[in-house]
Amino acid sequence: MTDPTTEIASLSRALPDRVSIPGDPRYTAAIATWAKTDVTPAAAITCRGAADVQAAITAARKAKLPLSVRGGGHDWAGRALCEGIVIDLSEMRAVSVASDRRSALLQGGARARDLISTIDPLGLAAVTGSHGGVGMAGLTLGGGYGPLIGSQGLALDNLVEAQVALADGSVVSASATHNQDLFWAIRGGGGNFGVVTQMRCKLHNIPIVLAGVLIYPISEAKSVLTQAATLTASLPDELSAQLGIAAGPDGSLSVLVAPVWCGAPEDGERQLAPFLKLGTLLAGKVERMSQTALLSRFDAMIVDGLRVHIETCSLDALDSCSIDTLLSSMANAVSSGCVILTHEFKGAACRVAADATAFGLRRPHILVEILTMFPDPEDVTITQQHITWARETREAFTAALPGGYPNLLGPDEASRATKSYGDNATRLIQAKRRYDPDNVFSSTIPLPQD
Ligand SMILES: Cc1cc2nc3c(=O)[nH]c(=O)nc-3n(C[C@H](O)[C@H](O)[C@H](O)COP(=O)(O)OP(=O)(O)OC[C@H]3O[C@@H](n4cnc5c(N)ncnc54)[C@H](O)[C@@H]3O)c2cc1C
């Protein structure tokens, strides 16, 4: 074992301008995350390519320092950071489109907005989540629910190949023809197997979507959510909708209905018309929009630098009982930073065999995201109140399916992860043993327990 300080100094000489330690001007930017954390990494390596990533892995191993990967920095639990070495991918964000326009090659740190800003002018779309700041690798490796889920599946269903820097210092390709077991494991197993330095994902010809964020009064919540849930369940794969309850700028609650139609625009106007008549529409409209505009729909609601705690569960459907749970939890929310939001899992995502990728839950379902976001409190009990509210809310969904969306599970939820991966858990554990036997990549979503 080399002394950590010596190893970081030697890495700094080997990679000039790429290593920063606390106090350096570039350090703060290299470890910036969406959610506030209390972690002070020993060093951040702002990598420019796979060779830098390899050097960072080797140095961390030699010095026996913890290692983490900062992609888009949007993991709510701050797992992009650790007390050791952070592999910062913020300068690896290049995107290029293949000449046949069917796929794009992304560097490992590319965010959704890097991808969409490149392909939108070409009339092309890709499966992203709902926010442009999220890293495409982080999103894809753990799942990737998004507005195109019904027609194109999860983000991970659109992964064609990845270049992965492994714990042993090698860089390999993973695809349907190369290292198939690694390709299987990284499609759902998160960052547990290595660092994706570049990846190829499918593109789709969807120049325009019809979408909107519709706001209804909280007094009509039961009726609006019941109708919206019935409607979304009955509409074709081209339609997906997020439903939720959140506080507006004045702190008062309202119902949020956010439908997206990615089929022919002329059909969309007819399909989306009922969403405008769910009750007394307070704000919002349905309109034709570009992929860039679609990705920015929630920007005003997403604030950087807050404390965050998220809980998640999945339901077969948003039925009357679940809507009651949602409403009573929001009525008892501990602050205006408490939000409940759903994502749909349907269509193309359900037509992938359950054992085709590591991702475990392939039946139609509704993902429930229970978010708490609040300024750094002086009184620590406030943090605990938010965590307790989120936990109790999750537990109140008594019809929840086993496990939860791996990308949103907390660091202490390995037993729930075991359930999330279902019959894929054993194979995933075997892949971890093969590719990362020393658990070098531990600052990531939890894997199933043995
Ligand atoms: C505002 C917001 C909106 C979101 N919306 C959605 C959504 O619509 N759909 C959805 O499915 N999820 C959504 N998420 C969850 C998101 O997909 C995960 O938190 C994801 O892990 C974030 O990736 P990141 O690269 O931004 O985060 P980071 O914090 O940088 O990374 C998180 C973890 O991902 C792994 N990782 C990242 N990059 C790499 C890489 N190149 N190689 C190997 N491992 C890597 C690492 O293990 C790392 O610890 C959202 C999160 C936020 C905060």
Side-chain angles (χ1 to χ4, degrees):
M1 177 181 136
T2 325
D3 166 58
T5 315
T6 310
E7 192 57 47
I8 291 168
S10 131
L11 197 56
S12 198
R13 283 190 298 279
L15 304 175
D17 303 332
R18 271 160 277 180
V19 180
S20 57
I21 59 172
D24 286 349
R26 59 186 304 160
Y27 177 78
T28 307
I31 61 157
T33 52
W34 171 66
K36 188 165 172 40
T37 73
D38 297 318
V39 179
T40 308
I45 319 300
T46 301
C47 298
R48 295 189 190 141
D52 295 355
V53 174
Q54 285 176 290
I57 295 171
T58 306
R61 297 205 66 172
K62 270 169 86 180
K64 293 209 182 317
L65 279 169
L67 187 70
S68 65
V69 181
R70 175 177 174 261
H74 274 68
D75 175 50
W76 71 265
R79 284 165 284 203
L81 306 185
C82 66
E83 298 287 350
I85 289 182
V86 176
I87 294 179
D88 165 32
L89 300 176
S90 61
E91 290 190 9
M92 290 176 59
R93 292 168 61 177
V95 176
S96 60
V97 176
S99 54
D100 65 5
R101 296 161 55 107
R102 289 186 177 174
S103 67
L105 192 62
L106 286 65
Q107 278 190 301
R111 300 175 183 206
R113 72 166 70 93
D114 300 322
L115 172 60
I116 295 300
S117 65
T118 305
I119 63 176
D120 189 17
L122 304 173
L124 299 169
V127 176
T128 67
S130 52
H131 180 55
V134 170
M136 282 304 295
L139 173 94
T140 302
L141 300 181
Y145 291 64
L148 304 187
I149 194 158
S151 64
Q152 311 299 343
L154 287 166
L156 62 80
D157 297 324
N158 288 266
L159 183 66
V160 180
E161 62 179 334
Q163 185 185 67
V164 190
L166 298 175
D168 66 6
S170 63
V171 174
V172 299
S173 168
S175 69
T177 52
H178 289 86
N179 295 302
Q180 288 102 325
D181 52 347
L182 179 62
F183 189 52
W184 179 88
I186 61 171
R187 286 176 296 159
N192 276 290
F193 303 93
V195 185
V196 170
T197 51
Q198 65 177 31
M199 58 191 233
R200 184 173 292 285
C201 68
K202 289 181 195 164
L203 299 179
H204 309 282
N205 276 306
I206 308 175
I208 291 288
V209 294
L210 245 83
V213 180
L214 310 173
I215 308 295
Y216 285 99
I218 192 72
S219 57
E220 298 174 14
K222 175 84 195 216
S223 160
V224 169
L225 290 175
T226 304
Q227 292 177 73
T230 310
L231 198 55
T232 54
S234 70
L235 291 175
D237 293 348
E238 290 88 344
L239 182 285
S240 74
Q242 285 188 262
L243 311 177
I245 297 194
D250 66 352
S252 64
L253 293 178
S254 46
V255 183
L256 188 148
V257 178
V260 180
W261 172 263
C262 64
E266 50 284 12
D267 296 339
E269 267 145 37
R270 180 174 46 85
Q271 302 279 13
L272 295 196
F275 285 98
L276 296 162
K277 298 176 195 148
L278 299 172
T280 314
L281 185 61
L282 297 178
K285 59 183 175 180
V286 161
E287 58 191 327
R288 291 184 185 213
M289 58 176 78
S290 65
Q291 295 293 335
T292 304
L294 180 68
L295 198 60
S296 316
R297 274 182 315 160
F298 299 113
D299 283 2
M301 292 172 63
I302 298 166
V303 180
D304 289 3
L306 297 175
R307 292 275 168 190
V308 179
H309 183 86
I310 295 184
E311 295 278 332
T312 185
C313 65
S314 300
L315 305 168
D316 272 329
L318 195 64
D319 59 12
S320 176
C321 186
S322 304
I323 291 171
D324 287 342
T325 302
L326 194 158
L327 294 178
S328 63
S329 294
M330 285 306 292
N332 294 315
V334 291
S335 79
S336 58
C338 298
V339 176
I340 301 183
L341 208 57
T342 66
H343 300 250
E344 279 190 289
F345 188 96
K346 64 190 280 192
C350 306
R351 292 191 283 274
V352 176
D355 60 357
T357 68
F359 190 86
L361 188 60
R362 286 293 181 176
R363 67 202 240 196
H365 62 265
I366 302 291
L367 160 65
V368 182
E369 219 182 316
I370 304 152
L371 296 101
T372 64
M373 299 165 284
F374 47 98
D376 218 0
E378 280 173 21
D379 178 357
V380 284
T381 59
I382 293 183
T383 302
Q384 197 48 51
Q385 281 167 12
H386 283 87
I387 295 172
T388 303
W389 175 81
R391 287 237 162 102
E392 288 179 356
T393 298
R394 187 206 4 115
E395 285 162 8
F397 285 101
T398 48
L401 300 167
Y405 176 31
N407 252 348
L408 297 181
L409 290 180
D412 57 351
E413 294 194 294
S415 63
R416 292 189 70 214
T418 308
K419 294 181 182 136
S420 307
Y421 291 105
D423 291 343
N424 292 336
T426 306
R427 189 172 165 193
L428 202 52
I429 294 167
Q430 284 163 356
K432 178 72 174 178
R433 279 204 197 106
R434 173 164 181 203
Y435 288 101
D436 185 20
D438 300 324
N439 201 16
V440 171
F441 303 108
S442 59
S443 190
T444 184
I445 55 175
L447 272 192
Q449 284 172 330
D450 244 331

